[in-house]
Amino acid sequence: MDTQVNIESISEEIVEKNPGEPEFHQAVREVVNSLGPVLDKHPEFVKEKIIQRLCEPDRQILFRVPWQDDEGEVQVNRGFRVEFSNALGPYKGGLRFHPSVYLGTVKFLGFEQIFKNSLLDLGIGGGKGGADFDPKGKSDHEVMRFCQSFMTELYRHIGENTDVPAGDTGVGPREIGYMFGQYKRITNKYETGTFTGKEVAWGGSPVRFEATGYGCAYFVQEMLGTFDESFEGKTCVVSGSGNVALYAIEKIHEFGGKVVACSDSGGVIRDDNGLDLEKIKQIKEVERGRISEYTDSHEDASYEEGGNIWEIPCDVALPCATQNELQESDAGTLIENGCIAVAEGANMPCSPEAIQAFLEANVAFGPGKAANAGGVAISALEMQQNAGRQSWSFEYTDQQLRETMQKLHATCRDAAEEYGVPGNYVSGANIAGFIKVARALVAQGLT
Ligand code: NDP
Ligand code: 2IT
């Protein structure tokens, strides 16, 4: 069989079957394009149509979310939960609240999540959800009413052994709290294991809040270590200024690196003295403000509205905001400026052409499936703690995270080597993630 032709026709079939969902097509192509050597070795995966089966979610749930704003006006949003695969455990993945969310967003995220979760070896399947709701500028009460309405439908589809949501863009501990409260009220069950990303005081895990950003820094530290480098003394830029970005910055500073720029959807701040993270946390986490306010208290820093963060020279770049935020031309600029490592804190922030450019230039490149897996890893450990009614210490949990990211790095590196693409973490992550799910699907019969 000609694997190349076969892979191309599988991708085309999936694109045709899912019109108008370019992000989903992109995510599928990235995985499928890595799988040639796997299909050559495992003809049973071709026979059992594992790729085609994995590209068709187990189920897709779409629902109306009506709620009332503070003026008493009725608002209607659309809610989503795509339960992709439970071959390795209950569906697991975050919820995204952002006005741009549509089915294609949730499907690309859910598809990625299958392989990310598989790589972790922690017994979790893949799913994702969200809504086209914009939490920006809404009062706490508006967010609460939205979350309650959202959960009034979603509660029937989730559960600690069925489907376990968590946060993502626009969903943090505040939203998880409101959703958990409504779930508890409707089901009359204090079932903490149904959600992760809860506050530590009522069933959350220490380090979950920091985990994605810390984990990404741990992953990069491992990649740098393969060529005797580290964050020490490195200049870094981190896009975004949300949950992932802020804790990536925190860990990079702890490792002796200097982050000189971050951003939000409005623009970029640059502070060559190194960003004052406490100030940024105050603006973003406490006041829910805009990054532009940073220059009010930091006169040496600059703010560029609509600026391009990738034009700022750096050794390490971490895209931690959103999908397709780093294009081929940006990759070219980073390479020209001498960047040695890039890792995806966000999901699919680099375009396929940008990734190709990094790989060709021998820039160490950590794909999101591996580099941002720290968040869901600690989610799985939160589920473990909930199941055992345990509550671990911050230090112990952080150590688990660090070891998990080291192991994940080794898994991707080893798979890349075994399948003839040494140093290519993209292929390594896709191959290692895919093989485990594929084996489970074969073993569990045609479902
Ligand atoms: P947050 O909502 O906390 O922050 C998102 C940040 O990205 C904000 O600074 C936001 O700016 C910026 N941003 C969002 N959309 C855009 C856009 N279209 N253009 C420019 N900037 C944008 O989200 P998270 O930090 O949790 O998530 C960021 C990324 O990391 C996402 O891709 C998410 O899927 C991924 N991720 C998150 C995990 C988690 O545990 N939270 C785990 C793994 C991956 P603004 O405020 O202006 O909108
Ligand atoms: O993209 C992701 O991995 C997340 N948003 C975290 C999912 C989770 O279940 O913790």
Side-chain angles (χ1 to χ4, degrees), residues 5-259:
V5 173
N6 192 35
I7 278 187
E8 201 34 56
S9 69
I10 292 173
S11 293
E12 272 170 26
E13 182 191 316
I14 290 155
V15 167
E16 229 168 82
K17 249 182 138 173
N18 297 276
E21 296 173 354
E23 298 86 355
F24 179 54
H25 304 162
Q26 186 181 332
V28 168
R29 279 191 195 281
E30 192 218 275
V31 172
V32 174
N33 286 344
S34 299
L35 296 179
V38 178
L39 300 188
D40 285 341
K41 229 178 183 172
H42 295 278
E44 72 276 17
F45 296 163
V46 179
K47 185 160 161 274
E48 294 293 338
K49 298 213 167 143
I50 298 298
I51 298 177
Q52 293 91 327
R53 283 160 62 190
L54 279 174
C55 288
E56 197 64 36
D58 287 359
R59 67 189 65 76
Q60 312 184 45
I61 303 151
L62 269 71
F63 52 100
R64 179 179 62 247
V65 189
W67 57 283
Q68 233 176 345
D69 67 21
D70 286 346
E71 275 70 53
E73 199 174 316
V74 172
Q75 303 283 347
V76 182
N77 285 99
R78 185 171 292 169
F80 304 86
R81 186 76 184 167
V82 175
E83 296 179 334
F84 242 104
S85 167
N86 63 359
L88 297 175
Y91 307 107
K92 180 80 195 89
L95 297 168
R96 176 177 292 192
F97 291 170
H98 193 273
S100 64
V101 167
Y102 76 111
L103 185 60
T105 321
V106 182
K107 279 172 69 179
F108 107 69
L109 290 163
F111 184 73
E112 294 259 302
Q113 200 83 47
I114 305 173
F115 307 101
K116 189 193 299 187
N117 294 0
S118 163
L119 278 170
L120 285 168
D121 243 342
L122 289 167
I124 43 178
K128 200 85 187 190
D132 60 356
F133 171 73
D134 187 359
K136 230 176 270 167
K138 303 287 190 301
S139 69
D140 285 350
H141 274 118
E142 287 177 321
V143 171
M144 179 185 74
R145 286 194 293 275
F146 177 81
C147 289
Q148 290 177 337
S149 180
F150 185 83
M151 199 39 58
T152 301
E153 172 58 33
L154 193 64
Y155 88 94
R156 73 190 78 243
H157 305 290
I158 60 177
E160 60 187 355
N161 295 312
T162 310
D163 183 352
V164 182
D168 192 78
T169 302
V171 177
R174 173 182 64 170
E175 290 73 19
I176 295 292
Y178 293 146
M179 288 191 266
F180 177 74
Q182 184 73 349
Y183 180 82
K184 177 167 66 88
R185 187 181 186 196
I186 297 174
T187 60
N188 194 31
K189 279 186 197 148
Y190 202 95
E191 200 178 80
T192 47
T194 301
F195 297 83
T196 63
K198 305 177 294 291
E199 282 178 20
V200 176
W202 44 273
S205 172
V207 198
R208 174 62 190 86
F209 195 58
E210 296 84 356
T212 312
Y214 278 17
C216 189
Y218 290 149
F219 192 89
V220 174
Q221 190 78 326
E222 290 302 305
M223 286 203 307
L224 291 171
T226 61
F227 47 99
D228 293 327
E229 283 287 2
S230 78
F231 270 116
E232 183 69 42
K234 296 287 181 304
T235 299
C236 310
V237 301
V238 176
S239 67
S241 49
N243 178 254
V244 179
L246 295 190
Y247 291 90
I249 296 172
E250 182 160 287
K251 191 50 74 178
I252 292 171
H253 284 171
E254 270 179 52
F255 278 145
K258 183 164 79 167
V259 183

Side-chain angles (χ1 to χ4, degrees), residues 326-335 351-358:
L326 196 162
Q327 299 289 318
E328 187 177 14
S329 57
D330 303 318
T333 309
L334 285 164
I335 293 164
S351 72
E353 297 77 19
I355 295 174
Q356 196 52 37
F358 289 133

